[in-house]
PDB file of all heavy atoms in Angstrom:
ATOM      1  N   SER A 245      25.220  42.674  64.693  1.00 98.00           N
ATOM      2  CA  SER A 245      26.562  42.113  64.854  1.00 98.00           C
ATOM      3  C   SER A 245      27.220  42.545  66.165  1.00 98.00           C
ATOM      4  O   SER A 245      27.926  41.757  66.793  1.00 98.00           O
ATOM      5  CB  SER A 245      27.450  42.527  63.681  1.00 98.00           C
ATOM      6  OG  SER A 245      26.864  42.140  62.457  1.00 98.00           O
ATOM      7  N   GLU A 246      26.979  43.807  66.583  1.00 98.00           N
ATOM      8  CA  GLU A 246      27.586  44.259  67.852  1.00 98.00           C
ATOM      9  C   GLU A 246      27.064  43.395  69.008  1.00 98.00           C
ATOM     10  O   GLU A 246      27.812  43.063  69.930  1.00 98.00           O
ATOM     11  CB  GLU A 246      27.279  45.740  68.106  1.00 98.00           C
ATOM     12  CG  GLU A 246      28.029  46.712  67.194  1.00 98.00           C
ATOM     13  CD  GLU A 246      29.537  46.761  67.451  1.00 98.00           C
ATOM     14  OE1 GLU A 246      30.004  46.242  68.480  1.00 98.00           O
ATOM     15  OE2 GLU A 246      30.249  47.325  66.581  1.00 98.00           O
ATOM     16  N   ILE A 248      26.047  40.294  68.751  1.00 98.00           N
ATOM     17  CA  ILE A 248      26.655  38.962  68.622  1.00 98.00           C
ATOM     18  C   ILE A 248      28.107  38.991  69.101  1.00 98.00           C
ATOM     19  O   ILE A 248      28.579  38.054  69.748  1.00 98.00           O
ATOM     20  CB  ILE A 248      26.538  38.453  67.161  1.00 98.00           C
ATOM     21  CG1 ILE A 248      25.057  38.193  66.838  1.00 98.00           C
ATOM     22  CG2 ILE A 248      27.350  37.172  66.957  1.00 98.00           C
ATOM     23  CD1 ILE A 248      24.784  37.793  65.403  1.00 98.00           C
ATOM     24  N   ILE A 249      28.788  40.102  68.831  1.00 97.00           N
ATOM     25  CA  ILE A 249      30.166  40.231  69.324  1.00 97.00           C
ATOM     26  C   ILE A 249      30.196  40.165  70.861  1.00 97.00           C
ATOM     27  O   ILE A 249      31.066  39.536  71.456  1.00 97.00           O
ATOM     28  CB  ILE A 249      30.822  41.538  68.800  1.00 97.00           C
ATOM     29  CG1 ILE A 249      31.113  41.408  67.302  1.00 97.00           C
ATOM     30  CG2 ILE A 249      32.104  41.862  69.576  1.00 97.00           C
ATOM     31  CD1 ILE A 249      31.622  42.679  66.634  1.00 97.00           C
ATOM     32  N   ASP A 250      29.200  40.779  71.513  1.00 96.00           N
ATOM     33  CA  ASP A 250      29.126  40.690  72.977  1.00 96.00           C
ATOM     34  C   ASP A 250      28.955  39.246  73.439  1.00 96.00           C
ATOM     35  O   ASP A 250      29.572  38.818  74.415  1.00 96.00           O
ATOM     36  CB  ASP A 250      27.959  41.539  73.510  1.00 96.00           C
ATOM     37  CG  ASP A 250      28.289  43.023  73.531  1.00 96.00           C
ATOM     38  OD1 ASP A 250      29.481  43.369  73.374  1.00 96.00           O
ATOM     39  OD2 ASP A 250      27.366  43.831  73.713  1.00 96.00           O
ATOM     40  N   ILE A 251      28.090  38.509  72.736  1.00 97.00           N
ATOM     41  CA  ILE A 251      27.874  37.091  73.093  1.00 97.00           C
ATOM     42  C   ILE A 251      29.181  36.322  72.937  1.00 97.00           C
ATOM     43  O   ILE A 251      29.570  35.532  73.795  1.00 97.00           O
ATOM     44  CB  ILE A 251      26.774  36.468  72.197  1.00 97.00           C
ATOM     45  CG1 ILE A 251      25.411  37.079  72.529  1.00 97.00           C
ATOM     46  CG2 ILE A 251      26.731  34.952  72.363  1.00 97.00           C
ATOM     47  CD1 ILE A 251      24.304  36.684  71.549  1.00 97.00           C
ATOM     48  N   ILE A 252      29.873  36.584  71.823  1.00 97.00           N
ATOM     49  CA  ILE A 252      31.138  35.878  71.576  1.00 97.00           C
ATOM     50  C   ILE A 252      32.146  36.225  72.667  1.00 97.00           C
ATOM     51  O   ILE A 252      32.791  35.354  73.252  1.00 97.00           O
ATOM     52  CB  ILE A 252      31.709  36.237  70.176  1.00 97.00           C
ATOM     53  CG1 ILE A 252      30.782  35.701  69.075  1.00 97.00           C
ATOM     54  CG2 ILE A 252      33.125  35.692  70.014  1.00 97.00           C
ATOM     55  CD1 ILE A 252      31.154  36.159  67.665  1.00 97.00           C
ATOM     56  N   THR A 253      32.247  37.518  72.981  1.00 95.00           N
ATOM     57  CA  THR A 253      33.226  37.953  73.973  1.00 95.00           C
ATOM     58  C   THR A 253      32.945  37.317  75.332  1.00 95.00           C
ATOM     59  O   THR A 253      33.853  36.873  76.034  1.00 95.00           O
ATOM     60  CB  THR A 253      33.188  39.495  74.096  1.00 95.00           C
ATOM     61  OG1 THR A 253      33.346  40.054  72.793  1.00 95.00           O
ATOM     62  CG2 THR A 253      34.290  39.998  75.004  1.00 95.00           C
ATOM     63  N   LEU A 254      31.673  37.258  75.693  1.00 95.00           N
ATOM     64  CA  LEU A 254      31.308  36.725  77.000  1.00 95.00           C
ATOM     65  C   LEU A 254      31.443  35.212  77.080  1.00 95.00           C
ATOM     66  O   LEU A 254      31.975  34.680  78.051  1.00 95.00           O
ATOM     67  CB  LEU A 254      29.866  37.139  77.325  1.00 95.00           C
ATOM     68  CG  LEU A 254      29.332  36.753  78.698  1.00 95.00           C
ATOM     69  CD1 LEU A 254      30.097  37.481  79.798  1.00 95.00           C
ATOM     70  CD2 LEU A 254      27.849  37.061  78.795  1.00 95.00           C
ATOM     71  N   GLN A 256      32.253  32.839  74.141  1.00 96.00           N
ATOM     72  CA  GLN A 256      32.998  32.089  73.122  1.00 96.00           C
ATOM     73  C   GLN A 256      32.331  30.742  72.867  1.00 96.00           C
ATOM     74  O   GLN A 256      32.942  29.677  73.033  1.00 96.00           O
ATOM     75  CB  GLN A 256      34.474  31.909  73.536  1.00 96.00           C
ATOM     76  CG  GLN A 256      35.249  33.202  73.644  1.00 96.00           C
ATOM     77  CD  GLN A 256      35.507  33.900  72.298  1.00 96.00           C
ATOM     78  OE1 GLN A 256      35.316  33.330  71.234  1.00 96.00           O
ATOM     79  NE2 GLN A 256      35.926  35.142  72.342  1.00 96.00           N
ATOM     80  N   ASN A 278      28.991  38.083  59.211  1.00 97.00           N
ATOM     81  CA  ASN A 278      30.357  37.566  59.334  1.00 97.00           C
ATOM     82  C   ASN A 278      31.391  38.603  58.917  1.00 97.00           C
ATOM     83  O   ASN A 278      32.444  38.730  59.551  1.00 97.00           O
ATOM     84  CB  ASN A 278      30.508  36.285  58.502  1.00 97.00           C
ATOM     85  CG  ASN A 278      30.041  35.059  59.269  1.00 97.00           C
ATOM     86  OD1 ASN A 278      30.273  34.944  60.471  1.00 97.00           O
ATOM     87  ND2 ASN A 278      29.356  34.162  58.589  1.00 97.00           N
ATOM     88  N   ALA A 279      31.074  39.362  57.854  1.00 97.00           N
ATOM     89  CA  ALA A 279      32.013  40.388  57.390  1.00 97.00           C
ATOM     90  C   ALA A 279      32.183  41.466  58.461  1.00 97.00           C
ATOM     91  O   ALA A 279      33.300  41.900  58.766  1.00 97.00           O
ATOM     92  CB  ALA A 279      31.506  41.007  56.083  1.00 97.00           C
ATOM     93  N   TYR A 280      31.052  41.901  59.075  1.00 98.00           N
ATOM     94  CA  TYR A 280      31.133  42.929  60.116  1.00 98.00           C
ATOM     95  C   TYR A 280      31.950  42.418  61.304  1.00 98.00           C
ATOM     96  O   TYR A 280      32.849  43.105  61.796  1.00 98.00           O
ATOM     97  CB  TYR A 280      29.720  43.330  60.574  1.00 98.00           C
ATOM     98  CG  TYR A 280      29.735  44.479  61.560  1.00 98.00           C
ATOM     99  CD1 TYR A 280      29.514  45.782  61.134  1.00 98.00           C
ATOM    100  CD2 TYR A 280      30.006  44.261  62.917  1.00 98.00           C
ATOM    101  CE1 TYR A 280      29.552  46.840  62.027  1.00 98.00           C
ATOM    102  CE2 TYR A 280      30.045  45.309  63.822  1.00 98.00           C
ATOM    103  CZ  TYR A 280      29.809  46.596  63.369  1.00 98.00           C
ATOM    104  OH  TYR A 280      29.853  47.645  64.262  1.00 98.00           O
ATOM    105  N   ILE A 281      31.610  41.206  61.731  1.00 97.00           N
ATOM    106  CA  ILE A 281      32.260  40.671  62.933  1.00 97.00           C
ATOM    107  C   ILE A 281      33.760  40.488  62.688  1.00 97.00           C
ATOM    108  O   ILE A 281      34.580  40.848  63.542  1.00 97.00           O
ATOM    109  CB  ILE A 281      31.583  39.351  63.373  1.00 97.00           C
ATOM    110  CG1 ILE A 281      30.191  39.669  63.931  1.00 97.00           C
ATOM    111  CG2 ILE A 281      32.426  38.616  64.424  1.00 97.00           C
ATOM    112  CD1 ILE A 281      29.363  38.464  64.313  1.00 97.00           C
ATOM    113  N   SER A 282      34.143  39.967  61.523  1.00 95.00           N
ATOM    114  CA  SER A 282      35.578  39.736  61.321  1.00 95.00           C
ATOM    115  C   SER A 282      36.352  41.047  61.232  1.00 95.00           C
ATOM    116  O   SER A 282      37.546  41.067  61.533  1.00 95.00           O
ATOM    117  CB  SER A 282      35.830  38.840  60.103  1.00 95.00           C
ATOM    118  OG  SER A 282      35.253  39.418  58.968  1.00 95.00           O
ATOM    119  N   SER A 283      35.675  42.148  60.891  1.00 95.00           N
ATOM    120  CA  SER A 283      36.434  43.409  60.850  1.00 95.00           C
ATOM    121  C   SER A 283      36.311  44.214  62.150  1.00 95.00           C
ATOM    122  O   SER A 283      36.947  45.248  62.300  1.00 95.00           O
ATOM    123  CB  SER A 283      35.992  44.266  59.656  1.00 95.00           C
ATOM    124  OG  SER A 283      34.645  44.638  59.799  1.00 95.00           O
ATOM    125  N   HIS A 284      35.480  43.752  63.094  1.00 96.00           N
ATOM    126  CA  HIS A 284      35.316  44.510  64.347  1.00 96.00           C
ATOM    127  C   HIS A 284      35.661  43.721  65.602  1.00 96.00           C
ATOM    128  O   HIS A 284      35.512  44.210  66.713  1.00 96.00           O
ATOM    129  CB  HIS A 284      33.870  45.006  64.481  1.00 96.00           C
ATOM    130  CG  HIS A 284      33.528  46.115  63.532  1.00 96.00           C
ATOM    131  ND1 HIS A 284      33.257  45.902  62.202  1.00 96.00           N
ATOM    132  CD2 HIS A 284      33.424  47.457  63.720  1.00 96.00           C
ATOM    133  CE1 HIS A 284      32.989  47.062  61.613  1.00 96.00           C
ATOM    134  NE2 HIS A 284      33.090  48.022  62.501  1.00 96.00           N
ATOM    135  N   LEU A 285      36.070  42.463  65.452  1.00 95.00           N
ATOM    136  CA  LEU A 285      36.353  41.656  66.641  1.00 95.00           C
ATOM    137  C   LEU A 285      37.805  41.205  66.610  1.00 95.00           C
ATOM    138  O   LEU A 285      38.266  40.640  65.617  1.00 95.00           O
ATOM    139  CB  LEU A 285      35.419  40.431  66.657  1.00 95.00           C
ATOM    140  CG  LEU A 285      35.626  39.418  67.785  1.00 95.00           C
ATOM    141  CD1 LEU A 285      35.244  40.022  69.140  1.00 95.00           C
ATOM    142  CD2 LEU A 285      34.790  38.161  67.530  1.00 95.00           C
ATOM    143  N   GLU A 286      38.501  41.465  67.692  1.00 90.00           N
ATOM    144  CA  GLU A 286      39.881  40.990  67.811  1.00 90.00           C
ATOM    145  C   GLU A 286      39.842  39.478  68.048  1.00 90.00           C
ATOM    146  O   GLU A 286      39.232  39.014  69.009  1.00 90.00           O
ATOM    147  CB  GLU A 286      40.559  41.702  68.998  1.00 90.00           C
ATOM    148  CG  GLU A 286      41.990  41.275  69.246  1.00 90.00           C
ATOM    149  CD  GLU A 286      42.872  41.393  68.001  1.00 90.00           C
ATOM    150  OE1 GLU A 286      43.139  42.524  67.569  1.00 90.00           O
ATOM    151  OE2 GLU A 286      43.274  40.334  67.477  1.00 90.00           O
ATOM    152  N   THR A 287      40.434  38.711  67.135  1.00 90.00           N
ATOM    153  CA  THR A 287      40.305  37.251  67.239  1.00 90.00           C
ATOM    154  C   THR A 287      41.517  36.564  67.881  1.00 90.00           C
ATOM    155  O   THR A 287      41.481  35.375  68.136  1.00 90.00           O
ATOM    156  CB  THR A 287      40.071  36.631  65.843  1.00 90.00           C
ATOM    157  OG1 THR A 287      41.182  36.984  65.026  1.00 90.00           O
ATOM    158  CG2 THR A 287      38.792  37.157  65.216  1.00 90.00           C
ATOM    159  N   TYR A 288      42.586  37.304  68.118  1.00 91.00           N
ATOM    160  CA  TYR A 288      43.782  36.781  68.788  1.00 91.00           C
ATOM    161  C   TYR A 288      44.324  35.514  68.125  1.00 91.00           C
ATOM    162  O   TYR A 288      44.961  34.678  68.783  1.00 91.00           O
ATOM    163  CB  TYR A 288      43.494  36.509  70.279  1.00 91.00           C
ATOM    164  CG  TYR A 288      42.893  37.705  70.988  1.00 91.00           C
ATOM    165  CD1 TYR A 288      41.545  37.710  71.340  1.00 91.00           C
ATOM    166  CD2 TYR A 288      43.673  38.827  71.285  1.00 91.00           C
ATOM    167  CE1 TYR A 288      40.978  38.809  71.966  1.00 91.00           C
ATOM    168  CE2 TYR A 288      43.115  39.927  71.911  1.00 91.00           C
ATOM    169  CZ  TYR A 288      41.764  39.913  72.241  1.00 91.00           C
ATOM    170  OH  TYR A 288      41.213  41.004  72.859  1.00 91.00           O
ATOM    171  N   GLY A 289      43.968  35.335  66.865  1.00 92.00           N
ATOM    172  CA  GLY A 289      44.482  34.173  66.139  1.00 92.00           C
ATOM    173  C   GLY A 289      43.933  32.833  66.602  1.00 92.00           C
ATOM    174  O   GLY A 289      44.499  31.788  66.292  1.00 92.00           O
ATOM    175  N   PRO A 291      40.581  29.959  67.029  1.00 92.00           N
ATOM    176  CA  PRO A 291      39.382  29.603  66.249  1.00 92.00           C
ATOM    177  C   PRO A 291      38.175  30.430  66.692  1.00 92.00           C
ATOM    178  O   PRO A 291      38.064  30.766  67.875  1.00 92.00           O
ATOM    179  CB  PRO A 291      39.162  28.129  66.577  1.00 92.00           C
ATOM    180  CG  PRO A 291      40.437  27.652  67.158  1.00 92.00           C
ATOM    181  CD  PRO A 291      41.121  28.821  67.765  1.00 92.00           C
ATOM    182  N   GLN A 292      37.313  30.753  65.735  1.00 94.00           N
ATOM    183  CA  GLN A 292      36.139  31.574  66.044  1.00 94.00           C
ATOM    184  C   GLN A 292      34.855  30.739  66.056  1.00 94.00           C
ATOM    185  O   GLN A 292      34.776  29.724  65.378  1.00 94.00           O
ATOM    186  CB  GLN A 292      36.026  32.701  65.016  1.00 94.00           C
ATOM    187  CG  GLN A 292      37.091  33.772  65.213  1.00 94.00           C
ATOM    188  CD  GLN A 292      37.027  34.395  66.601  1.00 94.00           C
ATOM    189  OE1 GLN A 292      36.050  35.022  66.955  1.00 94.00           O
ATOM    190  NE2 GLN A 292      38.063  34.188  67.400  1.00 94.00           N
ATOM    191  N   PRO A 293      33.843  31.185  66.833  1.00 95.00           N
ATOM    192  CA  PRO A 293      32.565  30.471  66.830  1.00 95.00           C
ATOM    193  C   PRO A 293      31.988  30.396  65.416  1.00 95.00           C
ATOM    194  O   PRO A 293      32.172  31.311  64.611  1.00 95.00           O
ATOM    195  CB  PRO A 293      31.675  31.346  67.717  1.00 95.00           C
ATOM    196  CG  PRO A 293      32.604  32.129  68.563  1.00 95.00           C
ATOM    197  CD  PRO A 293      33.828  32.355  67.721  1.00 95.00           C
ATOM    198  N   ILE A 295      28.972  30.665  63.020  1.00 97.00           N
ATOM    199  CA  ILE A 295      27.653  31.319  63.000  1.00 97.00           C
ATOM    200  C   ILE A 295      26.877  30.776  61.811  1.00 97.00           C
ATOM    201  O   ILE A 295      27.407  30.738  60.694  1.00 97.00           O
ATOM    202  CB  ILE A 295      27.798  32.853  62.887  1.00 97.00           C
ATOM    203  CG1 ILE A 295      28.688  33.394  64.021  1.00 97.00           C
ATOM    204  CG2 ILE A 295      26.424  33.527  62.940  1.00 97.00           C
ATOM    205  CD1 ILE A 295      29.004  34.869  63.903  1.00 97.00           C
TER     206      ILE A 295
END
Side-chain angles (χ1 to χ4, degrees):
S245 304
E246 288 292 347
I248 293 175
I249 288 174
D250 283 347
I251 291 171
I252 294 172
T253 307
L254 184 65
Q256 296 291 347
N278 276 321
Y280 185 97
I281 289 176
S282 57
S283 64
H284 288 78
L285 176 68
E286 179 54 68
T287 59
Y288 308 107
Q292 288 302 296
I295 305 174

